Amino acid sequence: MGNCKSSSRALLGKAHVVPDAEWRMQDFGKTHVPDLEWRIHDFSSLLETGAKAATSATFHCSGYNWQLQVIPMHKGTGYETPYVALRLMTSPERMVPGHTMHVVFELSIYNHSKGMYCGCKASYNFHFKNSYSKEHCLILLQELLKSSAFLVDDSCVFGVDILKIDVSSPEKKAVVVQKKATTVQNLFLQKKGFVKGTYTWNVNNFLELDTDNFVRSPTFEVGGHKWYVGMYPHGDKYSTDCISLYLCLDASDELRLDSEKVFIMTLSILDQKNGKHLTATSGLWVCNKGCGWGWPNFFGLKKLKEPSGGYVVGSSCVVKADVTIIGSSNDG
């Protein structure tokens, strides 16, 4: 790409719309050390999965848990061609209503020719019900695929560096960003031989379930791991008048320390009358022990319980989980 700031603008051409007004690619310099270095091997396989996003395993910084998400074919309003975009995510567990965390960070991709990261500086207000930053475009997908500087042996390296955290909460807690050694993660994607599994959970007493409690299915196995579907029938604390559905690793599951599984999941509530099932499919996720993945606002409770919908018949609700293991992840 040469000089990132000038040439990335040139790549857009007259027909393209700049993704956002403050978007600029810049060199961060050879002394730039990210908090997370995420190496995605077999990048073309990521595109072939059709996944909307790939999310790293958790990394830790200044008392919080974070993840980096890559959106390989991001297209926004006015975009003529897709961009590779990044966004930062945090775990909302430590946040409560009224708790806001203003974070300044840098998102980047490694330029092998220059030996340095190239990217953009961003900021975002994370709060109780919003743990995802906006997407920030880094490079046109077509340019990345042709680049010998950013894509080497079908692999590319992304980074995130957290610069500042300001917390507004009832406790007015100050956070000092503590720099430490870079966390390195590797994502390996398979081209074939995916391991797939399906589990159907018949919730026969759905309408009688306690409104506040977490309900879990029996355990089932896919890819050598034990899973279960978790449900908050009336929504968890992050939802708004919706049922919450999650796929979780069973606590008894023993994850290998040298390699974690990478998976895509689909959760569905089956329409028992009309066959118009409610379905949501995730991007790529890395198995972390004790984690759950899903949707706090899976579907509105009022529509879910409408007799004409067929999602709750009598007091029966049927939930289906489809899990596909498509790769592995390990620490570098």
Side-chain angles (χ1 to χ4, degrees):
M1 236 189 191
N3 184 295
C4 290
K5 185 172 181 179
S6 60
S7 61
S8 61
R9 293 280 293 174
L11 289 172
L12 294 173
K14 294 182 179 180
H16 291 282
V17 176
V18 177
D20 55 70
E22 298 182 359
W23 176 77
R24 296 291 187 276
M25 287 279 281
Q26 62 181 1
D27 292 335
F28 288 148
K30 292 185 180 295
T31 60
H32 174 80
V33 179
D35 290 304
L36 173 69
E37 178 180 291
W38 194 25
R39 304 168 181 169
I40 297 184
H41 304 266
D42 304 312
F43 186 79
S44 60
S45 295
L46 172 60
L47 300 178
E48 290 169 7
T49 67
K52 292 183 179 179
T55 306
S56 74
T58 300
F59 68 99
H60 310 283
C61 179
S62 302
Y64 290 88
N65 295 329
W66 309 88
Q67 292 169 300
L68 178 62
Q69 190 171 81
V70 175
I71 302 94
M73 294 178 283
H74 178 64
K75 291 191 72 174
T77 303
Y79 295 20
E80 293 191 359
T81 56
Y83 283 80
V84 177
L86 303 183
R87 67 178 175 182
L88 181 64
M89 300 163 53
T90 187
S91 298
E93 286 84 1
R94 294 190 60 189
M95 297 185 183
V96 296
H99 183 145
T100 301
M101 182 166 57
H102 179 74
V103 182
V104 181
F105 51 94
E106 291 174 334
L107 301 169
S108 57
I109 183 171
Y110 189 70
N111 186 323
H112 293 270
S113 298
K114 291 187 173 184
M116 68 175 70
Y117 283 89
C118 179
C120 62
K121 188 175 181 179
S123 64
Y124 193 74
N125 289 323
F126 296 94
H127 54 84
F128 181 63
K129 290 191 176 183
N130 195 345
S131 56
Y132 294 70
S133 77
K134 65 174 287 188
E135 301 94 340
H136 293 271
C137 295
L138 290 192
I139 183 174
L140 283 163
L141 175 60
Q142 63 187 21
E143 295 299 331
L144 174 62
L145 295 177
K146 295 187 294 184
S147 170
S148 59
F150 296 100
L151 191 67
V152 177
D153 296 328
D154 200 23
S155 299
C156 49
V157 181
F158 297 99
V160 58
D161 191 24
I162 297 172
L163 305 176
K164 186 179 180 181
I165 302 174
D166 290 322
V167 178
S168 174
S169 68
E171 297 81 22
K172 301 293 183 182
K173 182 181 177 181
V175 177
V176 178
V177 176
Q178 299 173 339
K179 303 305 293 182
K180 60 179 183 178
T182 300
T183 297
V184 178
Q185 296 178 13
N186 290 282
L187 179 68
F188 301 95
L189 298 173
Q190 299 169 206
K191 294 184 181 294
K192 58 182 180 179
F194 300 152
V195 177
K196 298 183 178 182
T198 297
Y199 179 77
T200 302
W201 178 26
N202 294 293
V203 187
N204 295 320
N205 59 338
F206 179 78
L207 295 179
E208 289 77 47
L209 294 173
D210 191 296
T211 59
D212 298 322
N213 287 349
F214 180 74
V215 183
R216 55 170 288 171
S217 74
T219 300
F220 60 97
E221 187 170 317
V222 178
H225 291 293
K226 297 176 182 178
W227 312 80
Y228 65 89
V229 177
M231 172 197 296
Y232 286 91
H234 294 260
D236 62 15
K237 62 183 179 181
Y238 306 109
S239 72
T240 305
D241 299 322
C242 291
I243 185 174
S244 303
L245 279 184
Y246 298 93
L247 177 71
C248 307
L249 274 176
D250 191 81
S252 65
D253 189 83
E254 294 295 333
L255 279 173
R256 291 174 54 196
L257 297 179
D258 60 331
S259 182
E260 298 175 330
K261 296 294 193 302
V262 178
F263 70 96
I264 295 176
M265 67 163 178
T266 296
L267 295 181
S268 306
I269 296 178
L270 302 187
D271 183 340
Q272 302 171 62
K273 292 182 178 180
N274 312 303
K276 297 179 180 179
H277 309 316
L278 304 173
T279 299
T281 299
S282 73
L284 275 66
W285 292 87
V286 178
C287 292
N288 288 119
K289 191 170 185 178
C291 286
W293 306 265
W295 296 270
N297 292 295
F298 186 85
F299 193 70
L301 287 169
K302 184 176 180 180
K303 289 187 177 181
L304 181 73
K305 295 178 181 180
E306 286 181 355
S308 61
Y311 305 118
V312 180
V313 177
S315 188
S316 171
C317 181
V318 182
V319 181
K320 181 184 176 188
D322 295 283
V323 184
T324 303
I325 308 296
I326 62 169
S328 62
S329 174
N330 62 33
D331 294 336

